Amino acid sequence: MDSSVYQKVIGTIENIRRGTSCCTLLVSVREENGQEEIQFVVSGDTLVIDNVRLRRGMRVAAFYDTTLPAPAIFPPQYQAELITSLRRNQNVDLKFFDSSLTSEDNSLRLNLTPLTNIETANGQRFLCTPENETLLVYYTIATFSIPAQVTPQKVIVMCPKE
């Protein structure tokens, strides 16, 4: 998973309705700044972390591939590649982290502890160190340094398909 092509939207689900087929949903998310509503197509290919059932009022982060074509409509509509639910004040980032656990764009550095929950996208324990991997990182507090340092609550390793 090439994290550099994904854009993140954090907001609250305002509406969920049937998409173009019985296997797709159209999920309307109001961004946290309250200004823009974005619609996401959630299909069988969309990875929903922890297989959570999406519902109105839920705070989520949705990631979409910026290289895919999108219809020129308002509100904007994108194919969701990954959706995860978030708690209040929780943030999430999807980035590639190098051997020093610094993100590829030098915006985030991870300080892992024995209490950090590290798992794969299907919920299994990740038995190696998460270096040189694309990671979905959940955290609440970040330092003001460059790169910002965080002690994540949870790390999901986006293992490549074999």
Side-chain angles (χ1 to χ4, degrees):
M1 177 176 264
D2 179 11
S3 63
S4 66
V5 301
Y6 290 100
Q7 178 70 37
K8 171 178 66 173
V9 173
I10 294 180
T12 303
I13 296 176
E14 291 214 328
N15 193 19
I16 300 173
R17 63 182 193 270
R18 183 179 153 190
T20 56
S21 76
C22 293
C23 292
T24 61
L25 297 174
L26 198 56
V27 178
S28 298
V29 175
R30 170 85 48 198
E31 285 190 288
E32 284 192 322
N33 62 17
Q35 298 299 316
E36 188 171 8
E37 181 180 307
I38 298 174
Q39 294 184 347
F40 290 98
V41 176
V42 177
S43 69
D45 293 331
T46 303
L47 176 60
V48 179
I49 300 297
D50 294 332
N51 292 314
V52 173
R53 180 172 291 172
L54 302 175
R55 60 188 187 283
R56 285 184 55 194
M58 180 182 278
R59 184 170 179 260
V60 296
F63 294 84
Y64 65 93
D65 187 338
T66 59
T67 64
L68 293 178
I73 59 173
F74 186 81
Q77 186 179 101
Y78 303 105
Q79 171 65 47
E81 298 294 324
L82 184 150
I83 294 183
T84 185
S85 62
L86 296 174
R87 294 190 306 266
R88 182 189 314 225
N89 298 323
Q90 189 176 44
N91 202 347
V92 65
D93 275 310
L94 177 65
K95 299 182 184 294
F96 179 84
F97 287 84
D98 65 16
S99 60
S100 67
L101 293 177
T102 301
S103 64
E104 190 172 42
D105 63 0
N106 201 38
S107 65
L108 208 57
R109 173 178 249 152
L110 306 183
N111 297 318
L112 301 180
T113 71
L115 299 176
T116 304
N117 182 16
I118 304 172
E119 60 187 47
T120 61
N122 66 3
Q124 304 307 304
R125 284 185 42 212
F126 186 72
L127 302 174
C128 303
T129 58
E131 301 165 350
N132 299 312
E133 298 280 356
T134 298
L135 306 175
L136 186 64
V137 179
Y138 297 81
Y139 60 95
T140 52
I141 300 171
T143 65
F144 289 106
S145 60
I146 298 176
Q149 295 190 35
V150 300
T151 302
Q153 300 148 326
K154 181 177 179 179
V155 174
I156 297 179
V157 181
M158 307 306 289
C159 298
K161 294 184 180 184
E162 294 184 17

